[in-house]
Amino acid sequence: MGLRLTPQETSFYSLFATSASLLVDATRELTKLLEVDASQRQPVADRLKELEHEGDDATHEIIKRVNSSFITPFDREDIHGLAAHLDDCMDHMEEAADLIVLYRIGDLPAGLGDQFEILSRMAEVTALAMPKLRSLKDLSAYWIEINRLENQADELHRKMLAELFNNGADPIHIIKVKGIIDGFEDAADSFEKVAHMVEGIAVKES
Amino acid sequence: MGLRLTPQETSFYSLFATSASLLVDATRELTKLLEVDASQRQPVADRLKELEHEGDDATHEIIKRVNSSFITPFDREDIHGLAAHLDDCMDHMEEAADLIVLYRIGDLPAGLGDQFEILSRMAEVTALAMPKLRSLKDLSAYWIEINRLENQADELHRKMLAELFNNGADPIHIIKVKGIIDGFEDAADSFEKVAHMVEGIAVKES
Amino acid sequence: MGLRLTPQETSFYSLFATSASLLVDATRELTKLLEVDASQRQPVADRLKELEHEGDDATHEIIKRVNSSFITPFDREDIHGLAAHLDDCMDHMEEAADLIVLYRIGDLPAGLGDQFEILSRMAEVTALAMPKLRSLKDLSAYWIEINRLENQADELHRKMLAELFNNGADPIHIIKVKGIIDGFEDAADSFEKVAHMVEGIAVKES
């Protein structure tokens, strides 16, 4: 890792940065779900679908680049794994947002705004961490913060489940809302997996 | 990878081919669930259980072989991982089929035949890809096709969920059917993980 | 692996042993849930939360040690992965136990005691296996036993699902209990992943 990287190799970092910045965009779209009328949610879900496709393009570009590069900045399977976990963050957010539309949920659950805020923060710290993959330095603050946020997400998720069940809602509404808030919790878990992956890379390469 | 492989090493490929061809058999059994009476589903589920056990045997044979081989065609942990993901495909299909019997579902949901068709096609292209592990050439068409099929499976799964919830079914029926169609969607995801694993191996070894 | 290990490196094994022995403690707490009044379950869930935090501390100690060690007894990413899977066992048990309290479940489902017994046995054989990571010998009995226990857990889980659905319970109760017994089944799956990881390490290092 002491070598100066050529432009070819550098671009891996910018592709990861692109992938993570699309996650920041996605969390911004999520927030809009809280601001618009139920009838205006479809365009938001569509925009998330577009962001997911852009994320897929970034992922495929990373894979193609790995295939054609003689030297890669870190292990090929780690580049692969990191791209896949970033993809999972997007997929879970897009799917859960789509379920809000598909299930024709009227009033969104109270805690959803808090889930979105945690996911926004996770996306932001992840996007800030990606350029540091170059030096693999100063990354511990990132994974400590992600860990803290994931614990917060987990606690919020359980509180939301308890409220959902103990509020006398009808079972079909419960199944639908549970599917949605579980999906956003899965997204938070995926952000944590990205951080663990980065931690693993830092451990190996340093 | 430029060396001629000895019979010992070749057999890894044939064990993977066996494992994948059992998945083709399993998807054929699934299709039978649509053709028989509800009262005749148990024997189909039993046959899937047998196929699952045969799959386990193939997996254990691969593991044993890895243990006793001095040289393996690719990394030991990749052989391990690939065997495990093929196993997951079978496990999810067997479990979801068993739930159809356990839950005493009367009429199967309309989209199930389409789910089975996608899984059949996934099993077939996977089985065709396994012998190519030898050369690690011409595999990109395989993972592109699996990716396309997984997107199709995902879209179908969401459509089935929307129909399930918006058709006025009773909640217990919804929970049961959701468990089943989610299980088959998990199987489709596992086929994609197999393809990603193969892609990862090709990236590393080529 | 032929080198004598220094105290520094030896401590990895004792940290894994600590992590696994906390899982034994956790399964003991689970059993108490069956013995106390519904009103006395909160302190048990709290104790599981404490054990989870102790487990996190052990995991972080392992990661820190990996970072600062020049030589590690086996691959850094395997140490990382093993610590993460042990963590998952604890997390699933803690979460499912917490849901029992959160969901205000009155009568616990009949099979829960059997689920706990299987998890206890899994924790015990895992704890007995950890010190053998040093030599990587005589571990096959461990993963065969875990495999057997996981099959047993899986069969029990399906039987519990069938009973839950076919006993005429109301849908909300079904969703709650399903969430709990699925959680304990996820814990059993995580114990199997630990065993697969150990098997993978033994394959690579031997």
Side-chain angles (χ1 to χ4, degrees), chain C residues 44-118:
Chain C
V44 181
D46 291 345
R47 177 71 187 127
L48 278 159
K49 189 49 128 183
E50 281 169 38
L51 288 168
E52 197 211 335
H53 288 317
E54 289 180 51
D56 283 343
D57 291 343
T59 305
H60 291 147
E61 188 58 34
I62 293 172
I63 306 297
K64 229 175 68 189
R65 201 68 60 94
V66 169
N67 277 290
S68 60
S69 299
F70 187 65
I71 300 169
T72 56
F74 31 84
D75 277 359
R76 280 152 192 263
E77 60 267 47
D78 287 334
I79 293 175
H80 228 260
L82 191 52
H85 284 305
L86 286 164
D87 216 40
D88 285 343
C89 297
M90 183 66 94
D91 287 356
H92 287 301
M93 292 195 289
E94 186 277 327
E95 183 176 9
D98 198 34
L99 290 180
I100 291 176
V101 178
L102 272 179
Y103 286 166
R104 302 176 194 167
I105 300 288
D107 292 333
L108 298 175
L112 206 64
D114 295 330
Q115 276 195 313
F116 292 171
E117 214 168 287
I118 295 171

Side-chain angles (χ1 to χ4, degrees), chain A residues 75 143 147 151 154 157-159 161-162 165-166 168-171 174-175 178 196 199-200 202-204 206, chain C residues 49 52-53 56 60 63 66-67 76-77 80 84 91 94-96 98-99 102-104 171-172 175-176 179:
Chain A
D75 277 358
W143 61 67
N147 207 55
N151 282 335
D154 191 45
H157 177 242
R158 291 190 198 184
K159 201 176 129 240
L161 283 179
F165 279 98
N166 300 325
D170 84 287
I174 288 179
I175 305 169
K178 187 173 184 302
H196 283 166
E199 197 178 358
V203 162
K204 263 210 298 200
S206 60
Chain C
K49 189 49 128 183
E52 197 211 335
H53 288 317
D56 283 343
H60 291 147
I63 306 297
V66 169
N67 277 290
R76 280 152 192 263
E77 60 267 47
H80 228 260
D91 287 356
E94 186 277 327
E95 183 176 9
D98 198 34
L99 290 180
L102 272 179
Y103 286 166
R104 302 176 194 167
I172 292 183
I175 306 170
K176 289 176 174 180

Side-chain angles (χ1 to χ4, degrees), chain C residues 176-197:
Chain C
K176 289 176 174 180
V177 172
K178 188 172 184 301
I180 292 162
I181 66 181
D182 287 355
F184 289 122
E185 174 62 13
D186 288 343
D189 285 341
S190 293
F191 275 109
E192 199 182 29
K193 280 184 195 151
V194 170
H196 282 165
M197 193 91 210

Side-chain angles (χ1 to χ4, degrees), chain C residues 21 124 180:
Chain C
S21 83
E124 279 161 17
I180 292 162

Side-chain angles (χ1 to χ4, degrees), chain A residues 49 60 63 66-67 76-77 80 91 94-95 98-99 102-104 171-172 175-176, chain B residues 147 154 157-158 161-162 165-166 169-171 174-175 178 196 199-200 203-204 206:
Chain A
K49 189 49 128 181
H60 290 148
I63 306 297
V66 169
N67 277 289
R76 279 152 191 263
E77 59 267 48
H80 228 261
D91 287 355
E94 185 278 326
E95 183 176 7
D98 198 35
L99 289 180
L102 271 178
Y103 286 166
R104 303 175 193 168
I172 292 182
I175 305 169
K176 290 176 174 180
Chain B
N147 207 56
D154 191 45
H157 177 242
R158 290 189 198 184
L161 283 178
F165 278 99
N166 299 326
D170 85 285
I174 288 179
I175 305 170
K178 187 173 184 300
H196 282 164
E199 197 177 358
V203 163
K204 262 209 297 200
S206 59

